[in-house]
């Protein structure tokens, strides 16, 4: 249930566009990453039960990760 | 979805000190050229800043053009803030257009139930589900030019045109209004009046409250900016601590 001042069609535009989702360890923390069109991955979410991991700025969602 | 072992080689915390100085300089140059950012002097603060920006993202991962605040990240982060002895208080900065009702309410409930002092500051906008998040703090503030839109909750996707759909919508709205009125000085009647106002918005019904208006109706505690919000937070921290700075705007003794 979306309650926003931005119209729903604007918010949800491109919802069905597929993007590659990867799982792995970043900085000793299991993460889910999303690979963008430019090949650079962004942190999608952490899969950790340690609350301290959620205070780490480098693991904040949207942070760009270069995968070698 | 696939498991990628390559990710194990991903560089660790980029702010970690490196042994090799030239490499470190090179890395700094990369940061500067790639992100246009420089490293700023480090300081130790006893407050944690949480930004609620863009859409509050709920059960649906929103497309990439949206800036989002992910509740599955914020909720454990609030647990960490509550548990971390080095963090004395939380400053929530809002500039949100709204988002998922249940995710927003979850964040609001978490903020309201925290033991540590929480101060919220609405900058730019704190619309829709941003309203309960803003009022959840112990002290809420709004910048003079910021606005908050109160309008009816709406459903997305296919909606069955039956009475039950409307009943569910009304119950959901009651939950939100109940939270807002129990965490601010505004009355139930006033929130509903703002919500159903037909004379203000061109393409919607509802009300836009600018800084001073939000305070006058009792929704937000004070008009203020960053310095006022920080002073309020330090005052709350000092009161909690009971140190000699209690009541003043200075920093807590740190104990």
């Amino acid at each position: 249930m979306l309650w926003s001042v931005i119209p729903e069609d604007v918010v949800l535009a491109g919802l069905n566009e597929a993007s590659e989702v990867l799982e792995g360890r970043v900085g000793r923390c299991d993460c889910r990453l999303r690979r963008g069109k430019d090949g650079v991955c962004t942190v999608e979410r952490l899969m950790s039960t340690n609350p301290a991991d959620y205070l780490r700025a480098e693991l904040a969602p949207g942070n760009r990760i270069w995968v070698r | 979805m696939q498991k990628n072992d390559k990710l194990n080689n991903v560089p660790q915390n980029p702010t970690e000190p490196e042994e090799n100085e030239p490499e470190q300089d090179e890395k700094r140059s990369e940061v500067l050229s790639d992100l246009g950012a420089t490293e700023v002097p480090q300081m130790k603060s006893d407050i944690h800043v949480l930004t609620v920006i863009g859409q509050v993202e709920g059960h649906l991962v929103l497309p990439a053009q949206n800036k989002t605040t992910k509740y599955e990240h914020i909720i454990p982060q609030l647990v960490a803030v509550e548990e971390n002895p080095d963090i004395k208080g939380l400053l929530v900065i809002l500039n949100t257009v709204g988002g998922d009702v249940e995710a927003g309410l979850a964040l609001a409930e978490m903020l309201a139930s925290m033991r540590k002092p929480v101060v919220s500051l609405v900058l730019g906008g704190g619309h829709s589900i941003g309203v309960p998040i803003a009022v959840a703090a112990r002290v809420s503030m709004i910048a003079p030019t910021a606005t908050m839109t109160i309008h009816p909750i709406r459903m997305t996707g296919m909606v069955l045109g039956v009475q039950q759909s409307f009943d569910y919508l009304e119950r959901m709205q009651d939950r939100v209004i109940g939270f807002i009125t129990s965490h601010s000085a505004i009355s139930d009647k006033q929130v509903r009046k703002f919500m159903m106002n037909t004379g203000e918005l061109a393409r919607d019904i509802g009300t836009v409250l600018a800084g001073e208006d939000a305070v006058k109706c009792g929704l937000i505690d004070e008009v203020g900016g960053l310095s006022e919000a920080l002073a309020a937070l330090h005052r709350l921290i000092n009161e909690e601590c009971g140190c000699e700075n209690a009541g003043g705007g200075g920093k807590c003794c740190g104990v």
Side-chain angles (χ1 to χ4, degrees):
Chain A
M1 190 178 272
L2 199 64
W3 189 29
S4 171
V5 289
I6 304 288
E8 184 190 322
D9 54 339
V10 175
V11 175
L12 300 179
L15 186 66
N16 297 324
E17 279 178 21
S19 58
E20 190 183 358
V21 178
L22 315 166
E23 285 182 7
R25 286 180 77 79
V26 179
R28 293 182 291 278
C29 180
D30 287 328
C31 289
R32 186 169 292 173
L33 307 176
R34 186 171 295 273
R35 195 191 295 273
K37 285 176 186 166
D38 55 0
V40 177
C41 293
T42 54
V43 176
E44 179 76 26
R45 62 173 294 198
L46 307 189
M47 291 177 291
S48 169
T49 54
N50 181 3
D53 285 336
Y54 293 86
L55 292 174
R56 293 169 60 185
E58 76 273 17
L59 296 179
N63 213 30
R64 288 155 71 89
I65 302 286
W66 280 264
V67 180
R68 289 194 203 120
Chain B
M1 200 177 299
Q2 67 185 70
K3 195 89 175 172
N4 192 335
D5 288 332
K6 280 182 182 177
L7 296 179
N8 292 321
N9 298 326
V10 164
Q12 306 296 301
N13 180 356
T15 57
E16 273 176 7
E18 300 279 337
E19 283 176 16
N20 193 330
E21 274 300 319
E23 268 187 28
Q24 196 179 9
D25 287 344
E26 203 178 308
K27 206 170 245 179
R28 280 196 190 121
S29 303
E30 273 180 24
V31 170
L32 192 63
S33 60
D34 292 348
L35 303 175
T38 55
E39 285 189 25
V40 293
Q42 297 296 307
M43 59 160 282
K44 192 169 165 35
S45 173
D46 56 2
I47 65 162
H48 183 79
V49 177
L50 172 67
T51 50
V52 178
I53 50 100
Q55 296 280 348
V56 176
E57 194 179 278
H59 307 296
L60 197 65
V61 177
L62 294 178
Q65 79 273 13
N66 295 283
K67 285 189 176 180
T68 62
T69 300
K70 294 172 183 289
Y71 84 110
E72 74 270 22
H73 191 83
I74 301 298
I75 286 175
Q77 194 176 74
L78 294 176
V79 175
V81 169
E82 189 80 339
E83 286 287 290
N84 191 326
D86 293 333
I87 299 173
K88 308 281 185 206
L90 177 67
L91 176 64
V92 183
I93 294 181
L94 292 113
N95 192 358
T96 176
V97 290
D100 187 276
V101 173
E102 297 211 332
L105 274 181
L107 294 183
E109 292 281 10
M110 287 285 282
L111 289 170
S113 59
M114 284 181 77
R115 187 175 40 83
K116 288 185 179 173
V118 181
V119 171
S120 66
L121 173 61
V122 180
L123 295 168
H127 308 288
S128 315
I129 198 63
V131 176
I133 298 174
V135 302
R138 222 177 284 181
V139 174
S140 56
M141 290 200 178
I142 183 167
T145 55
T147 55
M148 301 180 86
T149 306
I150 300 179
H151 60 156
I153 290 176
R154 60 273 334 265
M155 278 184 174
T156 50
M158 190 181 75
V159 179
L160 296 178
V162 293
Q163 183 62 39
Q164 287 87 338
S165 298
F166 298 105
D167 290 345
Y168 178 70
L169 203 58
E170 198 164 359
R171 283 208 311 274
M172 188 64 94
Q173 203 151 275
D174 289 344
R175 283 168 67 191
V176 174
I177 293 173
F179 185 91
I180 293 170
T181 53
S182 61
H183 291 85
S184 69
I186 196 168
S187 67
D188 183 283
K189 193 178 167 189
Q190 184 68 71
V191 178
R192 288 180 196 277
K193 193 177 163 194
F194 283 148
M195 220 172 227
M196 300 304 168
N197 183 10
T198 54
E200 192 166 324
L201 303 177
R203 295 176 60 191
D204 201 347
I205 61 172
T207 306
V208 180
L209 297 169
E212 190 69 39
D213 303 333
V215 176
K216 276 184 189 159
C217 69
L219 184 64
I220 295 290
D221 297 325
E222 296 170 37
V223 172
L226 181 60
S227 58
E228 288 87 357
L230 283 173
L233 186 55
H234 285 299
R235 190 178 63 242
L236 290 172
I237 293 169
N238 296 343
E239 283 169 9
E240 289 274 316
C241 169
C243 72
E244 59 186 18
N245 293 329
K251 277 204 162 189
C252 172
C253 63
V255 178

